[in-house]
Amino acid sequence: MKKSIFLILLLCCVVCHGENRPVNLIFDTDMAPDYDDVGALAMLHAMADLGEVNILATVSSNKCETAVPCIDVINTYFGRPDIPLGAVKGEAPDRTTWHKGLRWTDELPSRYPHRIKSTSASDNAVDVYRNVLSRMPDGSVTIVTVGFFTNLKNLLLSGPDQISPLTGRELIKAKVKLLVSMAGKFPEGKEFNVEVDAKSSQQVFSEWPTPVLLSGFEIGEQIFTGKQLAASKQIGSPVIDAFAMCLPQDDPNGRNSWDQTAVLVAVRGAGDYFDVERGTMTVMDDGSNRWEKCAEGMHARLLFKMPNEQLTGIIEDMMMHKPLSQSKQ
């Protein structure tokens, strides 16, 4: 009976998730190696301005010293400078961008207002998670992770403290209704977010106690966005600046939209955009993953339904969103 209830909850979350608005959401990102994170966070702010999502916190799974300042820049630009910020502590990945010349990870903090000057100066992401989750009603929070799984592993392993008498696993089980991840390559393969900290990925995917929805590498790989952003004449946008600096070095026709697909379904649900297949994702020691289709699986993965051209337009439009303060001018 318990498994049947779980499966009903999983199906409801992944298909109809976006109907109960606004979605209470924590965004966990590896902001720096790639700039689809910038587009994803811009989308979240666009949907927040539409009243579809409450952004409860934004945390970094990457120790790169400019990761949190870049997150802070984007939050501040969209008029939400007080969103709680945090970063992974202890042993964890430290990755920066591969782009040359003007490096967007350095340029955004140098060009735009923000309050946190370095990732190492920010709060512990686990404390941020525990503080936010402990204050929320049961079963009310969605976590979307578009980076490494170090923070989520650390949260799982956290013990009772002054914030909450619950262990991390108990807190997750009580407060989180859905974990959405840009993770994995299906039906099998290696994907960056999972591979970089394979041990943490293994632990999360084997022990996470709530439904999990996966946007795999093969989904975002086929959706190219950012061309409209890079061609924009708008001045003073960190989102436009990031894409304008990077696209000429990659593909002027657009960048793969891995992270954007994850935030789209985290807020609006998969039903209008993607089909889903239930099963189980298993992470191997080398960071590769395998997928087993199973009607009773605790995970679900996205399958294409809406034509890519439509998905591209939806994502691009939200990435072009201006802050409400500018829209009213």
Side-chain angles (χ1 to χ4, degrees), residues 134-155:
S134 66
R135 296 196 304 266
M136 297 301 295
D138 287 354
S140 68
V141 178
T142 293
I143 296 173
V144 57
T145 175
V146 296
F148 316 129
F149 289 86
T150 321
N151 280 331
L152 297 186
K153 181 262 293 181
N154 291 343
L155 175 61

Side-chain angles (χ1 to χ4, degrees), residues 71-113:
I71 297 169
D72 197 6
V73 161
I74 298 166
N75 289 346
T76 302
Y77 171 72
F78 282 104
R80 297 181 177 86
D82 297 325
I83 291 176
L85 292 160
V88 65
K89 303 296 181 180
E91 184 177 353
D94 184 344
R95 302 294 180 91
T96 190
T97 184
W98 68 85
H99 293 94
K100 309 299 181 183
L102 289 177
R103 293 159 61 91
W104 69 272
T105 51
D106 298 324
E107 290 297 315
L108 297 192
S110 71
R111 297 181 185 185
Y112 294 96

Side-chain angles (χ1 to χ4, degrees), residues 40-221:
L41 186 51
M43 286 178 64
L44 280 177
H45 282 284
M47 289 185 280
D49 286 344
L50 291 171
E52 298 180 28
V53 61
N54 293 324
I55 307 173
L56 302 176
T58 48
V59 298
S60 174
S61 59
N62 183 9
K63 295 184 79 171
C64 174
E65 286 290 15
T66 55
V68 170
C70 284
I71 297 169
D72 197 6
V73 161
I74 298 166
N75 289 346
T76 302
Y77 171 72
F78 282 104
R80 297 181 177 86
D82 297 325
I83 291 176
L85 292 160
V88 65
K89 303 296 181 180
E91 184 177 353
D94 184 344
R95 302 294 180 91
T96 190
T97 184
W98 68 85
H99 293 94
K100 309 299 181 183
L102 289 177
R103 293 159 61 91
W104 69 272
T105 51
D106 298 324
E107 290 297 315
L108 297 192
S110 71
R111 297 181 185 185
Y112 294 96
H114 58 288
R115 58 189 173 90
I116 305 296
K117 302 306 179 184
S118 67
T119 297
S120 58
S122 62
D123 292 337
N124 189 328
V126 171
D127 292 340
V128 174
Y129 267 116
R130 291 182 63 85
N131 267 307
V132 170
L133 291 176
S134 66
R135 296 196 304 266
M136 297 301 295
D138 287 354
S140 68
V141 178
T142 293
I143 296 173
V144 57
T145 175
V146 296
F148 316 129
F149 289 86
T150 321
N151 280 331
L152 297 186
K153 181 262 293 181
N154 291 343
L155 175 61
L156 267 172
L157 296 179
S158 64
D161 56 14
Q162 71 278 10
I163 299 170
S164 170
L166 301 179
T167 67
R169 192 180 194 284
E170 292 167 342
L171 194 57
I172 294 164
K173 189 173 182 179
K175 304 295 183 176
V176 177
K177 65 177 177 180
L178 180 65
L179 170 63
V180 180
S181 298
M182 189 282 112
K185 186 175 183 180
F186 302 104
E188 62 181 22
K190 279 190 176 182
E191 185 274 316
F192 181 75
N193 289 342
V194 174
E195 182 185 7
V196 167
D197 187 355
K199 289 184 178 180
S200 291
S201 302
Q202 281 184 313
Q203 190 148 16
V204 170
F205 283 103
S206 64
E207 299 182 18
W208 193 263
T210 79
V212 178
L213 177 60
L214 299 159
S215 179
F217 178 89
E218 70 284 350
I219 299 294
E221 181 187 30

Side-chain angles (χ1 to χ4, degrees), residues 209-259:
T210 79
V212 178
L213 177 60
L214 299 159
S215 179
F217 178 89
E218 70 284 350
I219 299 294
E221 181 187 30
Q222 300 180 52
I223 303 169
F224 292 86
T225 57
K227 183 177 180 179
Q228 185 179 355
L229 270 172
S232 174
K233 302 300 183 183
Q234 182 183 343
I235 298 173
S237 165
V239 182
I240 290 174
D241 284 359
F243 278 81
M245 281 184 269
C246 296
L247 274 192
Q249 300 182 49
D250 297 322
D251 182 349
N253 290 315
R255 181 63 179 160
N256 312 85
S257 303
W258 289 296
D259 296 351

